[in-house]
Amino acid sequence: MRGPCVEAGLIPPLIQLLTSSDQEVLLQTGRALGNICYDSHEGRSAVDLAGGAQIVAEHIKSLYQNTEPENEKLLTVFCGMLMNYSNDNDSLQAQLINMGVIPTLVKLLGIHSHNVALTEMCLIAFGNLAELEQFASTNIAEELVRLFQKQTEHEKKEMIFEVLAPLAENDVIKLQLVEAGLVECLLEVVAQTVDGEREEDVAQLKTSSDLMKLFEGGKGSVFQRVLSWIPSHNHQLQLAGALAIANFARNDGNCIHMKLLELLDRHVDEGNVTVQHAALSALRNLAIPEFMRGPCVEAGLIPPLIQLLTSSDQEVLLQTGRALGNICYDSHSLQAQLINMGVIPTLVKLLGIHSHNVALTEMCLIAFGNLAELDGNCIHMVDTGIVQKLLELLDRHVDEGNVTVQPRSSERPAEPGHTCGEQIQDAVSWSCRRGVEVSAIRDASSPVQTPGDVTHAHRHTSRDQLGTNGKLVERLVEWCEAKDHAGVMGESNRLLSALIRHSKSKEVVKTVIQGGGVKHLVTMATSEHMIMQNEALVALGLIAALDLVAAEKDFVGSSLVSVLHKLLSDERSAPEIKYNSMILICAVMGSEPLHKEVQSLAFIDVVSRLRAHENKTVSHQASLTEQRLTAQS
């Protein structure tokens, strides 16, 4: 009947009646308008067009201080009418907020908290008008906490909980709630219901403990009470304690690793997975401050974390990896401890099993990139089959175009606890900015300073194994042409260069030449990044020195000599670039076609000017190069 009422033109005369001074007329008019607006787009639009909401809002503002029963009944009806008017309609809710309804409702709640019907209507209205910034400028926190303290019925408390939860997400209101004593109220509810078996006790325990996790910076007795939840046999309480601690852990002063270790020990084998998630999240936050990492290790946290890497739950694996990453970040001694406990084979296994899980894959790749920086680890990583796993991963994503698990360029891993995109969020942010697959292989191919001829020979064998892997080189050459992704292209070029520079092997050079990699290295020498230019020139110099005959055609086809002439002529070129360009010029003079190109471009003039270069190494090399060019002219 609501539609016909609107079509019959009943709304305008009803709005007229809102100007009456007769309280009974106002009461019945409010009820009629509320009924017409209920779940009716036509009814709401008609009331909006006639300005009915503004008139009702003004009535509430003028009457809210009157505590007479009849007046409270009218206020209840008017609040209900506005609730029906704005329910599930963002534009009408915004309209009421702009009219200043929220502060009025908060004041009304404080004055009429003894009136159950009116109080419930206000709480429902708060749920509709979830504009947190507006609430932050009122005393809503104080009023809600006071109202909560008065309640004895489960249903009434739950209704207040529903309003408190979204409000507590706002930092300003959260602080107001703490100052108003909400945390103490929640702790009291937990104490009263923790051993209860009634359904309503369990519900209140869950809601109260869940709310606790929103409050950070626990101190004194509150913090101690939360810590006391950890030894509980109640999983909900354990979960809430761990979640609350995860927030408290952001405060560097809270040393809580022992409690978390206790919790993990109880759940590491066949424990509650949700509790594991919460405890691991807390550990991840706890290990962000550098000075907390040592205590975490001393407390014995690493062994249970390593054990959790065998979990079948992917979220547990992800949180475990992130926690370990934060604890061991930028610490070779802690990374070595992980290696000794067998973490590399475990991560390789995870990469194979869970390659479809992007976040988990990225976590593994970040770990490989970090661990490969430690002396000797690269050998171990190659021996465990990481190269094959990375190649399989590249193959899987080459068609999908998922660049979060393909190469991208970067200088260093993200700081722990910081995000790029949502860290990719936390520790995963590095893999968003860096080509982790390619970088992990590149790091694994890097030289390490390990004493001993046996280790040295093994290291060369490992690097040769990478550089002579035709499939790897083929894939890298393909990615060197990924012009839509500059980072992918750049990082792939850098790996090609690294394979040559760190192996100094003729077999590796031969594989790169046959795979079509030379032209990409020449292009890399023209990069805007000096470090990439230099890496390319060193690699090209090794190619020329080790197998100039095989590379001659590619050098000519890629205009190498012309590129070198430009680099030497450019005053902006760094000393390293000029030096390595001259080294390369000398190296290619043994090729007849390349020698002719050098002569045709009058290199002697360019090189002779460099004899006066301020850098002594450059000027000395210029003299040697000029002599070589003159002798072979």
Side-chain angles (χ1 to χ4, degrees):
M1 289 298 294
R2 294 167 199 142
C5 287
V6 175
E7 293 170 6
L10 285 178
I11 299 301
L14 285 173
I15 299 300
Q16 290 270 339
L17 290 174
L18 287 175
T19 60
S20 172
S21 58
D22 188 311
Q23 196 169 57
E24 185 63 26
V25 171
L26 292 175
L27 183 69
Q28 298 305 328
T29 302
R31 284 174 173 166
L33 288 171
N35 288 341
I36 292 173
C37 287
Y38 179 76
D39 201 23
S40 170
H41 173 71
E42 295 82 3
R44 292 169 182 171
S45 297
V47 171
D48 180 26
L49 190 62
Q54 180 70 55
I55 298 173
V56 171
E58 291 300 328
H59 274 305
I60 295 174
K61 287 180 182 179
S62 64
L63 298 171
Y64 78 88
Q65 296 187 67
N66 189 329
T67 58
E68 293 179 1
E70 291 304 315
N71 186 67
E72 289 185 329
K73 185 187 294 184
L74 180 59
L75 285 170
T76 302
V77 169
F78 278 162
C79 286
M81 178 264 169
L82 292 183
M83 182 189 71
N84 287 349
Y85 171 75
S86 63
N87 188 41
D88 290 332
N89 189 305
D90 292 341
S91 63
L92 296 182
Q93 290 171 9
Q95 181 191 87
L96 294 182
I97 290 168
N98 292 333
M99 291 178 188
V101 167
I102 287 178
T104 303
L105 290 176
V106 174
K107 293 174 184 176
L108 192 151
L109 181 65
I111 295 172
H112 301 276
S113 59
H114 58 278
N115 187 301
V116 176
L118 185 52
T119 296
E120 289 182 1
M121 200 60 69
C122 286
L123 291 173
I124 295 171
F126 290 152
N128 280 354
L129 306 173
E131 179 52 58
L132 299 183
E133 297 302 323
Q134 288 274 343
F135 280 114
S137 61
T138 71
N139 65 334
I140 183 68
E142 183 181 339
E143 297 297 349
L144 285 175
V145 172
R146 184 184 296 121
L147 185 64
F148 183 82
Q149 290 170 333
K150 293 179 180 179
Q151 304 306 315
T152 57
E153 297 180 25
H154 166 69
E155 291 77 11
K156 300 294 190 300
K157 288 183 179 180
E158 283 295 323
M159 186 176 291
I160 299 173
F161 277 143
E162 289 177 7
V163 177
L164 285 171
L167 291 176
E169 298 284 356
N170 179 276
D171 290 338
V172 175
I173 301 175
K174 183 189 297 182
L175 181 59
Q176 293 171 354
L177 288 169
V178 172
E179 293 174 348
L182 178 61
V183 175
E184 287 74 14
C185 289
L186 295 174
L187 288 172
E188 188 61 32
V189 172
V190 169
Q192 293 172 357
T193 58
V194 65
D195 296 321
E197 296 181 357
R198 295 180 303 171
E199 186 176 332
E200 64 185 54
D201 288 338
V202 175
Q204 284 193 51
L205 172 63
K206 184 179 188 310
T207 308
S208 299
S209 54
D210 282 349
L211 263 177
M212 278 297 301
K213 72 185 181 187
L214 298 174
F215 296 94
E216 301 175 14
K219 295 180 180 178
S221 61
V222 172
F223 180 60
Q224 293 303 320
R225 290 275 292 278
V226 172
L227 284 182
S228 72
W229 296 354
I230 300 300
S232 167
H233 294 288
N234 186 307
H235 283 174
Q236 172 58 37
L237 208 54
Q238 291 176 354
L239 173 61
L243 289 172
I245 285 173
N247 278 351
F248 293 154
R250 295 173 186 169
N251 181 334
D252 295 353
N254 292 319
C255 301
I256 52 186
H257 43 275
M258 293 301 295
K259 291 290 184 181
L260 293 172
L261 176 60
E262 176 187 334
L263 190 61
L264 276 178
D265 280 342
R266 293 167 61 183
H267 290 276
V268 72
D269 292 322
E270 298 177 359
N272 185 287
V273 172
T274 309
V275 176
Q276 288 179 355
H277 292 179
L280 290 167
S281 176
L283 274 174
R284 187 182 66 186
N285 286 342
L286 182 65
I288 290 173
E290 183 176 354
F291 71 87
M292 283 303 302
R293 296 171 199 159
C296 285
V297 176
E298 292 167 9
L301 283 171
I302 289 185
L305 287 176
I306 294 291
Q307 190 174 346
L308 281 173
L309 285 177
T310 62
S311 171
S312 59
D313 184 272
Q314 294 182 36
E315 184 62 24
V316 167
L317 292 172
L318 180 60
Q319 296 296 344
T320 300
R322 290 174 175 175
L324 282 170
N326 283 357
I327 291 173
C328 299
Y329 176 75
D330 203 25
S331 171
H332 284 180
S333 62
L334 296 181
Q335 290 171 5
Q337 186 174 343
L338 290 182
I339 300 300
N340 292 335
M341 297 183 73
V343 74
I344 288 181
T346 301
L347 290 174
V348 171
K349 183 178 179 181
L350 290 180
L351 192 63
I353 296 173
H354 300 290
S355 59
H356 59 282
N357 184 322
V358 174
L360 191 52
T361 297
E362 289 164 348
M363 181 275 291
C364 292
L365 295 175
I366 291 170
F368 290 138
N370 285 338
L371 292 172
E373 296 172 1
L374 192 59
D375 291 354
N377 286 355
C378 54
I379 300 169
H380 189 34
M381 291 169 68
V382 171
D383 290 345
T384 56
I386 185 176
V387 176
Q388 185 59 36
K389 292 294 182 186
L390 295 176
L391 288 172
E392 290 172 2
L393 198 59
L394 281 170
D395 281 338
R396 185 175 296 114
H397 292 284
V398 67
D399 295 324
E400 298 174 8
N402 186 349
V403 293
T404 64
V405 288
Q406 292 170 3
R408 295 193 183 184
S409 59
S410 173
E411 294 301 319
R412 63 188 297 268
E415 293 289 335
H418 290 68
T419 69
C420 171
E422 189 193 17
Q423 234 172 19
I424 289 178
Q425 278 133 16
D426 236 319
V428 177
S429 62
W430 185 22
S431 61
C432 248
R433 302 197 314 267
R434 182 175 185 180
V436 230
E437 288 169 333
V438 168
S439 296
I441 305 176
R442 178 159 57 86
D443 288 339
S445 73
S446 300
V448 290
Q449 304 302 317
T450 307
D453 292 339
V454 174
T455 304
H456 183 76
H458 190 179
R459 188 165 66 246
H460 272 288
T461 301
S462 298
R463 291 200 297 274
D464 291 353
Q465 178 184 341
L466 290 174
T468 56
N469 186 316
K471 186 176 181 181
L472 170 60
V473 172
E474 177 187 343
R475 179 63 68 225
L476 289 174
V477 168
E478 179 180 335
W479 280 110
C480 284
E481 299 174 356
K483 296 181 180 179
D484 290 339
H485 302 288
V488 173
M489 187 167 60
E491 195 67 23
S492 299
N493 274 295
R494 293 188 70 187
L495 177 51
L496 272 180
S497 167
L499 292 174
I500 296 170
R501 289 184 293 112
H502 298 314
S503 68
K504 300 180 178 63
S505 161
K506 186 171 182 177
E507 289 303 312
V508 172
V509 166
K510 180 180 178 181
T511 303
V512 172
I513 294 172
Q514 291 176 344
V518 172
K519 63 179 180 180
H520 296 297
L521 292 174
V522 174
T523 301
M524 180 180 169
T526 65
S527 168
E528 60 183 8
H529 303 293
M530 188 271 286
I531 188 171
M532 292 182 66
Q533 286 182 319
N534 205 44
E535 289 173 356
L537 290 171
V538 172
L540 290 168
L542 286 167
I543 291 174
L546 293 170
D547 204 343
L548 179 59
V549 174
E552 180 181 83
K553 183 178 179 180
D554 289 329
F555 280 163
V556 172
S558 58
S559 303
L560 172 64
V561 173
S562 177
V563 168
L564 294 175
H565 188 271
K566 289 179 181 178
L567 290 174
L568 289 171
S569 303
D570 191 344
E571 294 181 358
R572 297 169 298 177
S573 293
E576 298 94 320
I577 303 304
K578 293 184 181 296
Y579 174 82
N580 283 316
S581 294
M582 288 186 285
I583 292 290
L584 186 50
I585 283 296
C586 293
V588 302
M589 290 290 286
S591 162
E592 183 177 348
L594 293 172
H595 188 180
K596 290 181 179 179
E597 285 189 36
V598 171
Q599 290 180 318
S600 68
L601 289 174
F603 265 85
I604 291 181
D605 293 341
V606 176
V607 172
S608 64
R609 289 196 295 270
L610 291 176
R611 290 171 57 192
H613 197 279
E614 59 183 3
N615 185 290
K616 292 183 179 180
T617 303
V618 172
S619 62
H620 178 66
Q621 183 60 42
S623 297
L624 295 176
T625 304
E626 185 180 23
Q627 293 173 18
R628 177 76 180 273
L629 292 173
T630 301
Q632 294 188 243
S633 60

